[in-house]
Amino acid sequence: MQREETVSEAEPGKPRPTRAPELNPFEAVNYFFDRAADHIGLKDEMRAIFRSSYRELTVQVPVRMDDGHLEVFTGYRVQHNAARGPYKGGVRYHPDADLDEVRALASLMTWKTAVVDIPFGGAKGGVQCDPKVMSVREKERLTRRFTQTISYILGINRDIPAPDVNTDAQTMAWMMDAYSSRYGYTPAIVTGKPVELGGSFGRAAATGRGVVYCLEDAARDLDINLDGATVAVQGFGNVGSWFARLVGDLGCRVVAVSDVRGAVYNPNGLEIPAVFDWSNESGSVVDAPGTETITNDELLELDVDVLVPAALDRVINEGNADRIKARIVVEAANHPVTPAADEVLHRAGKIVVPDILANAGGVTVSYFEWVQNIQQFRWEEEQVNAELRKTMSRAWSNVHGRATVDAIPLRLAAFAIALEKVEYADRLRGYV
Ligand code: GLU
């Protein structure tokens, strides 16, 4: 993945560059933030609060590996803002997870929970490791040690982790167990748990399902015909694979999907259930029967109607933005489009549905899971999906309405709405 050189950005009040530079992840999130802050006329003193984190914890995570040697990993939990409720956000395991990336993702969570109006703030965690080369037992030991080490800043009313890249329901089960063994049975301490341990029906599919709902609403309001529309999905993890399995309900045809090993393409449409089974059995979508193998870069540049980056950050950047052909880009991943690329897409008349709206279905159902845990009550999956639909559609129509009234792009509208909510909550609390 491309890592661009860092360019420092304009100070508040100083003229902004006419062209967005390529920035590191936290600078990039703050670039989007600053544009929205300018738009709503946010005071500089408030900017200083939102442009940094409330608390950043870096911890050492020593793990005895299966071969007997001790490996010392570095873990992070960043709490960005809790004006609207407890800190909330996932934990990712990735070799590139560093403080800057986790900070950026924590800030995005603050804006995401505000856009969908659920009573949480924003946080993120990460451990810099390569889970692809670790055994299940090594991952379990890592998870338990990381959880114990950060446990004193967690709490069901303080900070509630969830899955993210390379973590899943099993990871959450270990986290809950590690926390509960110290503090007593506490299912609400994490969301995205297995259903058998207090997880919510519909949580695993929620992010992908929310992206489908968002695409449906966007297509209706922006006059995009989805009947027979072609879709390319970059990433076939939890989010991408659920999205690909569900988007057919809108009448679309998924023509390409990918994972870290490469992409598969069939211009007539992929048999998604077959590709899913193939990927589960062989460990990759590559070589699924009836498909042609292409690269991840080629997938992004396919001549499709809808492009859904559902993997890592910054995959659409200054290097490829002018070759994106899709009419609408729906950000299922967090921060897949850099500020420079965002401008190129905007100038080319492309629609970008921003991450803090499009992929908010996951944290929305996390909220439902937390509510169910606290109430010690279980909702049916139909109720979960119906509430998710309502939340996503309300958020879409707020963002689209604001974008229309202010004549601004959807990302700027989403950030503006979020900023106003968080700033108002901070003021009501008397924080400033
Ligand atoms: N990791 C997901 C996200 O980036 C979900 C976070 C959560 O459920 O707390 O939105």
Short mmCIF file of all heavy atoms in Angstrom, two decimals, residues 5-70:
data_model
loop_
_atom_site.label_atom_id
_atom_site.label_comp_id
_atom_site.label_asym_id
_atom_site.label_seq_id
_atom_site.Cartn_x
_atom_site.Cartn_y
_atom_site.Cartn_z
N GLU A 5 4.36 10.88 1.29
CA GLU A 5 5.14 11.75 2.15
C GLU A 5 4.22 12.70 2.90
O GLU A 5 3.19 13.12 2.39
CB GLU A 5 6.06 12.56 1.26
CG GLU A 5 7.38 12.83 1.91
CD GLU A 5 8.35 13.37 0.88
OE1 GLU A 5 8.27 14.57 0.63
OE2 GLU A 5 9.13 12.57 0.34
N THR A 6 4.62 13.03 4.09
CA THR A 6 3.81 13.92 4.91
C THR A 6 4.01 15.38 4.51
O THR A 6 5.13 15.82 4.35
CB THR A 6 4.21 13.74 6.38
OG1 THR A 6 3.96 12.39 6.70
CG2 THR A 6 3.44 14.63 7.29
N VAL A 7 2.93 16.08 4.35
CA VAL A 7 3.01 17.51 4.05
C VAL A 7 2.22 18.23 5.13
O VAL A 7 1.10 17.86 5.42
CB VAL A 7 2.37 17.82 2.68
CG1 VAL A 7 2.52 19.29 2.34
CG2 VAL A 7 2.95 16.95 1.60
N SER A 8 2.83 19.23 5.76
CA SER A 8 2.08 19.86 6.85
C SER A 8 0.99 20.74 6.28
O SER A 8 1.12 21.30 5.19
CB SER A 8 3.01 20.67 7.74
OG SER A 8 3.58 21.68 6.97
N GLU A 9 -0.10 20.83 7.02
CA GLU A 9 -1.26 21.55 6.48
C GLU A 9 -1.36 22.96 7.04
O GLU A 9 -0.62 23.32 7.95
CB GLU A 9 -2.53 20.77 6.81
CG GLU A 9 -2.66 20.51 8.28
CD GLU A 9 -3.71 19.45 8.53
OE1 GLU A 9 -4.87 19.71 8.16
OE2 GLU A 9 -3.40 18.42 9.11
N ALA A 10 -2.29 23.70 6.47
CA ALA A 10 -2.43 25.11 6.87
C ALA A 10 -2.93 25.22 8.29
O ALA A 10 -3.69 24.39 8.77
CB ALA A 10 -3.43 25.78 5.93
N GLU A 11 -2.46 26.23 9.00
CA GLU A 11 -2.97 26.53 10.33
C GLU A 11 -4.36 27.12 10.20
O GLU A 11 -4.66 27.78 9.20
CB GLU A 11 -2.07 27.58 10.99
CG GLU A 11 -0.68 27.09 11.31
CD GLU A 11 -0.71 25.92 12.28
OE1 GLU A 11 -1.47 25.97 13.26
OE2 GLU A 11 0.02 24.94 12.03
N PRO A 12 -5.21 26.94 11.26
CA PRO A 12 -6.52 27.57 11.20
C PRO A 12 -6.37 29.08 10.98
O PRO A 12 -5.47 29.70 11.55
CB PRO A 12 -7.13 27.29 12.58
CG PRO A 12 -6.33 26.18 13.15
CD PRO A 12 -4.98 26.19 12.48
N GLY A 13 -7.19 29.63 10.13
CA GLY A 13 -7.13 31.06 9.90
C GLY A 13 -6.21 31.45 8.75
O GLY A 13 -6.34 32.51 8.17
N LYS A 14 -5.22 30.58 8.43
CA LYS A 14 -4.31 30.86 7.31
C LYS A 14 -4.94 30.33 6.03
O LYS A 14 -5.75 29.40 6.07
CB LYS A 14 -2.98 30.14 7.54
CG LYS A 14 -2.27 30.54 8.82
CD LYS A 14 -0.93 31.21 8.52
CE LYS A 14 -0.25 31.67 9.77
NZ LYS A 14 0.42 30.56 10.46
N PRO A 15 -4.54 30.89 4.86
CA PRO A 15 -5.14 30.39 3.62
C PRO A 15 -4.82 28.92 3.41
O PRO A 15 -3.72 28.47 3.73
CB PRO A 15 -4.47 31.24 2.54
CG PRO A 15 -3.55 32.16 3.21
CD PRO A 15 -3.55 31.93 4.66
N ARG A 16 -5.78 28.19 2.91
CA ARG A 16 -5.56 26.75 2.67
C ARG A 16 -4.94 26.54 1.29
O ARG A 16 -5.17 27.35 0.39
CB ARG A 16 -6.89 26.00 2.69
CG ARG A 16 -7.59 26.20 3.92
CD ARG A 16 -8.42 25.10 4.46
NE ARG A 16 -8.74 25.56 5.80
CZ ARG A 16 -7.95 25.45 6.83
NH1 ARG A 16 -6.81 24.82 6.72
NH2 ARG A 16 -8.29 25.94 7.98
N PRO A 17 -4.20 25.47 1.10
CA PRO A 17 -3.67 25.19 -0.23
C PRO A 17 -4.82 25.02 -1.22
O PRO A 17 -5.89 24.52 -0.84
CB PRO A 17 -2.90 23.89 -0.06
CG PRO A 17 -3.08 23.43 1.34
CD PRO A 17 -3.86 24.44 2.08
N THR A 18 -4.60 25.42 -2.48
CA THR A 18 -5.69 25.29 -3.46
C THR A 18 -5.88 23.83 -3.85
O THR A 18 -6.93 23.42 -4.27
CB THR A 18 -5.37 26.12 -4.71
OG1 THR A 18 -4.03 25.85 -5.08
CG2 THR A 18 -5.58 27.59 -4.46
N ARG A 19 -4.82 23.06 -3.73
CA ARG A 19 -4.92 21.64 -4.07
C ARG A 19 -4.62 20.84 -2.80
O ARG A 19 -3.66 21.13 -2.09
CB ARG A 19 -3.88 21.32 -5.14
CG ARG A 19 -4.36 20.34 -6.15
CD ARG A 19 -3.33 20.18 -7.25
NE ARG A 19 -2.72 18.88 -7.18
CZ ARG A 19 -1.58 18.62 -6.57
NH1 ARG A 19 -0.92 19.57 -5.97
NH2 ARG A 19 -1.09 17.41 -6.56
N ALA A 20 -5.43 19.83 -2.52
CA ALA A 20 -5.20 19.06 -1.30
C ALA A 20 -3.91 18.25 -1.43
O ALA A 20 -3.75 17.53 -2.40
CB ALA A 20 -6.37 18.13 -1.05
N PRO A 21 -2.99 18.39 -0.50
CA PRO A 21 -1.77 17.58 -0.56
C PRO A 21 -2.05 16.15 -0.07
O PRO A 21 -3.09 15.90 0.54
CB PRO A 21 -0.85 18.30 0.41
CG PRO A 21 -1.76 18.96 1.39
CD PRO A 21 -3.04 19.25 0.68
N GLU A 22 -1.14 15.21 -0.35
CA GLU A 22 -1.29 13.87 0.21
C GLU A 22 -0.78 13.91 1.65
O GLU A 22 0.32 14.39 1.92
CB GLU A 22 -0.50 12.85 -0.62
CG GLU A 22 -1.11 12.60 -2.00
CD GLU A 22 -2.44 11.84 -1.98
OE1 GLU A 22 -3.31 12.14 -1.13
OE2 GLU A 22 -2.63 10.97 -2.83
N LEU A 23 -1.57 13.44 2.56
CA LEU A 23 -1.31 13.60 3.98
C LEU A 23 -1.27 12.25 4.67
O LEU A 23 -1.84 11.27 4.16
CB LEU A 23 -2.43 14.44 4.59
CG LEU A 23 -2.70 15.79 3.94
CD1 LEU A 23 -4.04 16.34 4.39
CD2 LEU A 23 -1.60 16.77 4.31
N ASN A 24 -0.68 12.20 5.85
CA ASN A 24 -0.77 10.96 6.61
C ASN A 24 -2.21 10.85 7.15
O ASN A 24 -2.97 11.82 7.10
CB ASN A 24 0.32 10.88 7.68
CG ASN A 24 0.08 11.86 8.82
OD1 ASN A 24 -1.05 12.11 9.20
ND2 ASN A 24 1.15 12.41 9.36
N PRO A 25 -2.62 9.66 7.66
CA PRO A 25 -4.04 9.48 7.98
C PRO A 25 -4.64 10.52 8.93
O PRO A 25 -5.74 11.03 8.68
CB PRO A 25 -4.10 8.08 8.59
CG PRO A 25 -2.94 7.36 8.00
CD PRO A 25 -1.87 8.39 7.80
N PHE A 26 -3.94 10.86 10.00
CA PHE A 26 -4.54 11.80 10.96
C PHE A 26 -4.63 13.20 10.36
O PHE A 26 -5.62 13.91 10.55
CB PHE A 26 -3.75 11.81 12.27
CG PHE A 26 -4.48 12.52 13.38
CD1 PHE A 26 -5.79 12.20 13.71
CD2 PHE A 26 -3.85 13.51 14.12
CE1 PHE A 26 -6.48 12.86 14.73
CE2 PHE A 26 -4.51 14.17 15.15
CZ PHE A 26 -5.83 13.85 15.45
N GLU A 27 -3.59 13.58 9.61
CA GLU A 27 -3.64 14.88 8.93
C GLU A 27 -4.79 14.90 7.92
O GLU A 27 -5.45 15.92 7.74
CB GLU A 27 -2.32 15.16 8.21
CG GLU A 27 -1.19 15.51 9.13
CD GLU A 27 0.13 15.63 8.38
OE1 GLU A 27 0.31 14.97 7.35
OE2 GLU A 27 0.99 16.39 8.85
N ALA A 28 -5.01 13.77 7.27
CA ALA A 28 -6.07 13.70 6.26
C ALA A 28 -7.45 13.86 6.91
O ALA A 28 -8.29 14.62 6.41
CB ALA A 28 -5.99 12.38 5.51
N VAL A 29 -7.66 13.17 8.02
CA VAL A 29 -8.95 13.32 8.71
C VAL A 29 -9.11 14.77 9.17
O VAL A 29 -10.18 15.38 9.02
CB VAL A 29 -9.07 12.35 9.91
CG1 VAL A 29 -10.31 12.64 10.74
CG2 VAL A 29 -9.10 10.91 9.42
N ASN A 30 -8.03 15.37 9.67
CA ASN A 30 -8.11 16.76 10.10
C ASN A 30 -8.28 17.72 8.92
O ASN A 30 -8.84 18.81 9.08
CB ASN A 30 -6.88 17.14 10.93
CG ASN A 30 -7.07 16.71 12.38
OD1 ASN A 30 -8.19 16.46 12.81
ND2 ASN A 30 -5.98 16.60 13.12
N TYR A 31 -7.81 17.32 7.76
CA TYR A 31 -8.04 18.14 6.57
C TYR A 31 -9.55 18.20 6.27
O TYR A 31 -10.13 19.27 6.07
CB TYR A 31 -7.28 17.55 5.37
CG TYR A 31 -7.46 18.35 4.11
CD1 TYR A 31 -6.62 19.42 3.81
CD2 TYR A 31 -8.50 18.04 3.21
CE1 TYR A 31 -6.81 20.16 2.65
CE2 TYR A 31 -8.68 18.78 2.06
CZ TYR A 31 -7.84 19.84 1.78
OH TYR A 31 -8.03 20.57 0.65
N PHE A 32 -10.19 17.02 6.28
CA PHE A 32 -11.65 16.99 6.06
C PHE A 32 -12.36 17.76 7.19
O PHE A 32 -13.30 18.52 6.96
CB PHE A 32 -12.17 15.55 6.03
CG PHE A 32 -11.70 14.75 4.83
CD1 PHE A 32 -11.24 13.45 4.97
CD2 PHE A 32 -11.74 15.29 3.55
CE1 PHE A 32 -10.83 12.70 3.86
CE2 PHE A 32 -11.34 14.56 2.44
CZ PHE A 32 -10.88 13.25 2.60
N PHE A 33 -11.89 17.55 8.42
CA PHE A 33 -12.45 18.24 9.58
C PHE A 33 -12.36 19.76 9.42
O PHE A 33 -13.32 20.49 9.62
CB PHE A 33 -11.73 17.77 10.85
CG PHE A 33 -11.91 18.70 12.01
CD1 PHE A 33 -13.06 18.65 12.79
CD2 PHE A 33 -10.95 19.66 12.31
CE1 PHE A 33 -13.25 19.54 13.83
CE2 PHE A 33 -11.13 20.56 13.35
CZ PHE A 33 -12.28 20.48 14.12
N ASP A 34 -11.16 20.23 9.01
CA ASP A 34 -10.94 21.68 8.89
C ASP A 34 -11.84 22.32 7.84
O ASP A 34 -12.32 23.43 8.02
CB ASP A 34 -9.47 21.97 8.54
CG ASP A 34 -8.64 22.17 9.79
OD1 ASP A 34 -9.18 22.67 10.79
OD2 ASP A 34 -7.44 21.80 9.76
N ARG A 35 -12.04 21.58 6.75
CA ARG A 35 -12.91 22.14 5.71
C ARG A 35 -14.33 22.30 6.25
O ARG A 35 -15.01 23.29 5.98
CB ARG A 35 -12.89 21.24 4.47
CG ARG A 35 -11.52 21.29 3.79
CD ARG A 35 -11.59 20.81 2.36
NE ARG A 35 -12.60 21.51 1.61
CZ ARG A 35 -13.31 20.94 0.61
NH1 ARG A 35 -13.10 19.69 0.29
NH2 ARG A 35 -14.20 21.64 -0.04
N ALA A 36 -14.78 21.32 7.03
CA ALA A 36 -16.13 21.41 7.61
C ALA A 36 -16.16 22.49 8.69
O ALA A 36 -17.15 23.23 8.82
CB ALA A 36 -16.53 20.06 8.19
N ALA A 37 -15.07 22.59 9.46
CA ALA A 37 -15.00 23.62 10.51
C ALA A 37 -15.07 25.01 9.87
O ALA A 37 -15.75 25.90 10.38
CB ALA A 37 -13.71 23.45 11.32
N ASP A 38 -14.39 25.18 8.73
CA ASP A 38 -14.47 26.45 8.00
C ASP A 38 -15.92 26.69 7.56
O ASP A 38 -16.45 27.79 7.68
CB ASP A 38 -13.61 26.41 6.72
CG ASP A 38 -12.12 26.46 7.03
OD1 ASP A 38 -11.77 26.81 8.17
OD2 ASP A 38 -11.31 26.15 6.12
N HIS A 39 -16.53 25.63 7.05
CA HIS A 39 -17.88 25.75 6.50
C HIS A 39 -18.88 26.21 7.56
O HIS A 39 -19.75 27.03 7.29
CB HIS A 39 -18.32 24.42 5.88
CG HIS A 39 -19.65 24.50 5.20
ND1 HIS A 39 -19.82 25.14 3.99
CD2 HIS A 39 -20.87 24.04 5.57
CE1 HIS A 39 -21.10 25.07 3.64
NE2 HIS A 39 -21.76 24.41 4.58
N ILE A 40 -18.75 25.65 8.77
CA ILE A 40 -19.73 26.02 9.82
C ILE A 40 -19.21 27.18 10.68
O ILE A 40 -19.88 27.60 11.62
CB ILE A 40 -20.12 24.82 10.72
CG1 ILE A 40 -18.92 24.33 11.56
CG2 ILE A 40 -20.70 23.68 9.90
CD1 ILE A 40 -19.33 23.37 12.67
N GLY A 41 -18.00 27.66 10.40
CA GLY A 41 -17.45 28.78 11.17
C GLY A 41 -17.12 28.39 12.60
O GLY A 41 -17.36 29.16 13.54
N LEU A 42 -16.54 27.21 12.78
CA LEU A 42 -16.18 26.74 14.12
C LEU A 42 -15.03 27.57 14.69
O LEU A 42 -14.04 27.85 14.01
CB LEU A 42 -15.75 25.26 14.05
CG LEU A 42 -15.57 24.54 15.38
CD1 LEU A 42 -16.92 24.28 16.04
CD2 LEU A 42 -14.84 23.21 15.16
N LYS A 43 -15.17 27.93 15.97
CA LYS A 43 -14.13 28.75 16.62
C LYS A 43 -12.82 27.98 16.72
O LYS A 43 -12.82 26.77 16.95
CB LYS A 43 -14.59 29.07 18.06
CG LYS A 43 -15.56 30.19 18.17
CD LYS A 43 -15.51 30.67 19.63
CE LYS A 43 -16.73 31.48 19.96
NZ LYS A 43 -17.26 31.18 21.28
N ASP A 44 -11.72 28.70 16.61
CA ASP A 44 -10.39 28.07 16.68
C ASP A 44 -10.17 27.30 17.97
O ASP A 44 -9.54 26.25 17.98
CB ASP A 44 -9.28 29.13 16.53
CG ASP A 44 -9.08 29.51 15.06
OD1 ASP A 44 -9.77 28.91 14.20
OD2 ASP A 44 -8.26 30.40 14.79
N GLU A 45 -10.71 27.81 19.09
CA GLU A 45 -10.47 27.12 20.36
C GLU A 45 -11.15 25.74 20.36
O GLU A 45 -10.63 24.80 20.95
CB GLU A 45 -10.98 27.97 21.54
CG GLU A 45 -12.46 28.27 21.48
CD GLU A 45 -12.93 29.14 22.64
OE1 GLU A 45 -12.12 29.94 23.13
OE2 GLU A 45 -14.09 29.00 23.05
N MET A 46 -12.27 25.61 19.67
CA MET A 46 -12.91 24.29 19.57
C MET A 46 -12.13 23.38 18.63
O MET A 46 -12.02 22.18 18.85
CB MET A 46 -14.35 24.42 19.07
CG MET A 46 -15.30 25.04 20.05
SD MET A 46 -15.30 24.22 21.66
CE MET A 46 -16.08 22.65 21.30
N ARG A 47 -11.57 23.99 17.58
CA ARG A 47 -10.77 23.18 16.65
C ARG A 47 -9.63 22.49 17.38
O ARG A 47 -9.28 21.36 17.10
CB ARG A 47 -10.17 24.05 15.55
CG ARG A 47 -11.18 24.56 14.59
CD ARG A 47 -10.47 25.35 13.52
NE ARG A 47 -11.43 26.15 12.81
CZ ARG A 47 -11.51 26.25 11.50
NH1 ARG A 47 -10.64 25.63 10.74
NH2 ARG A 47 -12.43 26.98 10.93
N ALA A 48 -9.03 23.22 18.31
CA ALA A 48 -7.88 22.65 19.02
C ALA A 48 -8.29 21.39 19.78
O ALA A 48 -7.51 20.45 19.92
CB ALA A 48 -7.31 23.70 19.97
N ILE A 49 -9.53 21.37 20.27
CA ILE A 49 -9.99 20.17 20.99
C ILE A 49 -10.16 19.01 20.02
O ILE A 49 -9.69 17.90 20.26
CB ILE A 49 -11.33 20.47 21.71
CG1 ILE A 49 -11.08 21.44 22.86
CG2 ILE A 49 -11.99 19.18 22.21
CD1 ILE A 49 -12.32 21.90 23.57
N PHE A 50 -10.82 19.28 18.90
CA PHE A 50 -11.16 18.18 17.99
C PHE A 50 -9.99 17.72 17.11
O PHE A 50 -10.04 16.65 16.54
CB PHE A 50 -12.34 18.59 17.09
CG PHE A 50 -13.58 18.92 17.86
CD1 PHE A 50 -14.36 20.02 17.52
CD2 PHE A 50 -13.98 18.13 18.92
CE1 PHE A 50 -15.51 20.33 18.23
CE2 PHE A 50 -15.12 18.42 19.64
CZ PHE A 50 -15.89 19.53 19.30
N ARG A 51 -8.98 18.57 17.01
CA ARG A 51 -7.84 18.20 16.15
C ARG A 51 -6.82 17.33 16.89
O ARG A 51 -5.81 16.94 16.35
CB ARG A 51 -7.14 19.45 15.62
CG ARG A 51 -7.96 20.22 14.61
CD ARG A 51 -7.29 21.49 14.17
NE ARG A 51 -6.80 21.36 12.81
CZ ARG A 51 -5.60 20.95 12.47
NH1 ARG A 51 -4.74 20.59 13.40
NH2 ARG A 51 -5.25 20.87 11.22
N SER A 52 -7.09 17.05 18.17
CA SER A 52 -6.21 16.14 18.90
C SER A 52 -7.08 15.16 19.69
O SER A 52 -8.30 15.30 19.73
CB SER A 52 -5.30 16.94 19.84
OG SER A 52 -6.10 17.73 20.70
N SER A 53 -6.45 14.17 20.30
CA SER A 53 -7.22 13.15 21.03
C SER A 53 -7.34 13.53 22.50
O SER A 53 -6.51 14.26 23.03
CB SER A 53 -6.51 11.80 20.99
OG SER A 53 -5.88 11.59 19.77
N TYR A 54 -8.36 12.99 23.16
CA TYR A 54 -8.49 13.19 24.60
C TYR A 54 -7.42 12.38 25.33
O TYR A 54 -6.75 12.87 26.22
CB TYR A 54 -9.88 12.75 25.06
CG TYR A 54 -10.01 12.68 26.56
CD1 TYR A 54 -10.07 13.84 27.33
CD2 TYR A 54 -10.04 11.44 27.21
CE1 TYR A 54 -10.16 13.77 28.70
CE2 TYR A 54 -10.13 11.37 28.59
CZ TYR A 54 -10.19 12.54 29.33
OH TYR A 54 -10.26 12.47 30.70
N ARG A 55 -7.27 11.11 24.92
CA ARG A 55 -6.29 10.26 25.60
C ARG A 55 -5.72 9.26 24.61
O ARG A 55 -6.45 8.68 23.82
CB ARG A 55 -6.97 9.52 26.75
CG ARG A 55 -6.11 8.48 27.42
CD ARG A 55 -6.49 8.22 28.86
NE ARG A 55 -7.88 7.87 29.05
CZ ARG A 55 -8.45 7.73 30.25
NH1 ARG A 55 -7.75 7.92 31.35
NH2 ARG A 55 -9.72 7.40 30.37
N GLU A 56 -4.41 9.06 24.67
CA GLU A 56 -3.74 8.11 23.79
C GLU A 56 -2.89 7.18 24.63
O GLU A 56 -1.97 7.63 25.31
CB GLU A 56 -2.85 8.85 22.78
CG GLU A 56 -3.63 9.78 21.88
CD GLU A 56 -2.74 10.54 20.90
OE1 GLU A 56 -1.52 10.62 21.14
OE2 GLU A 56 -3.28 11.03 19.90
N LEU A 57 -3.23 5.93 24.60
CA LEU A 57 -2.50 4.96 25.41
C LEU A 57 -1.70 4.04 24.50
O LEU A 57 -2.27 3.42 23.59
CB LEU A 57 -3.52 4.15 26.23
CG LEU A 57 -2.99 3.15 27.24
CD1 LEU A 57 -2.14 3.82 28.30
CD2 LEU A 57 -4.18 2.43 27.90
N THR A 58 -0.40 3.98 24.72
CA THR A 58 0.46 3.05 23.97
C THR A 58 0.96 2.02 24.96
O THR A 58 1.47 2.40 26.02
CB THR A 58 1.65 3.80 23.35
OG1 THR A 58 1.16 4.81 22.47
CG2 THR A 58 2.54 2.86 22.54
N VAL A 59 0.77 0.76 24.64
CA VAL A 59 1.15 -0.27 25.60
C VAL A 59 2.04 -1.33 24.96
O VAL A 59 1.99 -1.57 23.76
CB VAL A 59 -0.09 -0.95 26.23
CG1 VAL A 59 -0.89 0.03 27.06
CG2 VAL A 59 -0.98 -1.60 25.18
N GLN A 60 2.78 -1.96 25.84
CA GLN A 60 3.63 -3.07 25.45
C GLN A 60 2.79 -4.34 25.61
O GLN A 60 2.11 -4.49 26.63
CB GLN A 60 4.75 -3.06 26.47
CG GLN A 60 5.92 -3.88 26.19
CD GLN A 60 6.87 -3.82 27.37
OE1 GLN A 60 6.48 -4.15 28.50
NE2 GLN A 60 8.08 -3.40 27.13
N VAL A 61 2.82 -5.22 24.61
CA VAL A 61 2.02 -6.45 24.70
C VAL A 61 2.95 -7.65 24.50
O VAL A 61 3.11 -8.15 23.38
CB VAL A 61 0.87 -6.47 23.65
CG1 VAL A 61 -0.10 -7.60 23.94
CG2 VAL A 61 0.14 -5.14 23.58
N PRO A 62 3.58 -8.13 25.58
CA PRO A 62 4.47 -9.28 25.41
C PRO A 62 3.67 -10.58 25.28
O PRO A 62 2.73 -10.81 26.04
CB PRO A 62 5.28 -9.29 26.72
CG PRO A 62 4.62 -8.34 27.65
CD PRO A 62 3.50 -7.65 26.96
N VAL A 63 4.04 -11.39 24.30
CA VAL A 63 3.28 -12.63 24.05
C VAL A 63 4.28 -13.78 23.88
O VAL A 63 5.23 -13.69 23.11
CB VAL A 63 2.42 -12.50 22.76
CG1 VAL A 63 1.70 -13.82 22.46
CG2 VAL A 63 1.42 -11.36 22.89
N ARG A 64 4.05 -14.85 24.63
CA ARG A 64 4.86 -16.06 24.47
C ARG A 64 4.35 -16.77 23.21
O ARG A 64 3.21 -17.18 23.14
CB ARG A 64 4.68 -16.94 25.71
CG ARG A 64 5.50 -18.21 25.74
CD ARG A 64 6.98 -17.99 25.89
NE ARG A 64 7.37 -17.31 27.13
CZ ARG A 64 8.59 -16.83 27.36
NH1 ARG A 64 9.53 -16.93 26.45
NH2 ARG A 64 8.87 -16.23 28.51
N MET A 65 5.20 -16.87 22.20
CA MET A 65 4.78 -17.48 20.94
C MET A 65 4.88 -19.00 21.05
O MET A 65 5.52 -19.54 21.96
CB MET A 65 5.65 -16.96 19.78
CG MET A 65 5.66 -15.43 19.66
SD MET A 65 4.04 -14.68 19.47
CE MET A 65 3.86 -14.71 17.68
N ASP A 66 4.24 -19.69 20.08
CA ASP A 66 4.17 -21.15 20.16
C ASP A 66 5.54 -21.82 20.19
O ASP A 66 5.72 -22.87 20.78
CB ASP A 66 3.36 -21.71 18.97
CG ASP A 66 1.88 -21.33 19.07
OD1 ASP A 66 1.46 -20.87 20.16
OD2 ASP A 66 1.15 -21.49 18.07
N ASP A 67 6.53 -21.19 19.54
CA ASP A 67 7.87 -21.82 19.51
C ASP A 67 8.69 -21.49 20.76
O ASP A 67 9.86 -21.84 20.85
CB ASP A 67 8.63 -21.38 18.24
CG ASP A 67 8.96 -19.88 18.26
OD1 ASP A 67 8.64 -19.18 19.25
OD2 ASP A 67 9.56 -19.41 17.27
N GLY A 68 8.06 -20.83 21.72
CA GLY A 68 8.72 -20.59 23.00
C GLY A 68 9.36 -19.22 23.14
O GLY A 68 9.66 -18.78 24.25
N HIS A 69 9.54 -18.48 22.04
CA HIS A 69 10.19 -17.17 22.19
C HIS A 69 9.16 -16.10 22.57
O HIS A 69 7.95 -16.26 22.33
CB HIS A 69 11.00 -16.80 20.95
CG HIS A 69 10.24 -16.08 19.89
ND1 HIS A 69 9.42 -16.72 18.99
CD2 HIS A 69 10.17 -14.76 19.59
CE1 HIS A 69 8.87 -15.82 18.18
NE2 HIS A 69 9.31 -14.63 18.52
N LEU A 70 9.66 -15.03 23.18
CA LEU A 70 8.77 -13.95 23.62
C LEU A 70 8.80 -12.83 22.59
O LEU A 70 9.87 -12.32 22.25
CB LEU A 70 9.22 -13.41 24.99
CG LEU A 70 8.25 -12.44 25.64
CD1 LEU A 70 7.08 -13.20 26.27
CD2 LEU A 70 8.95 -11.60 26.71
#
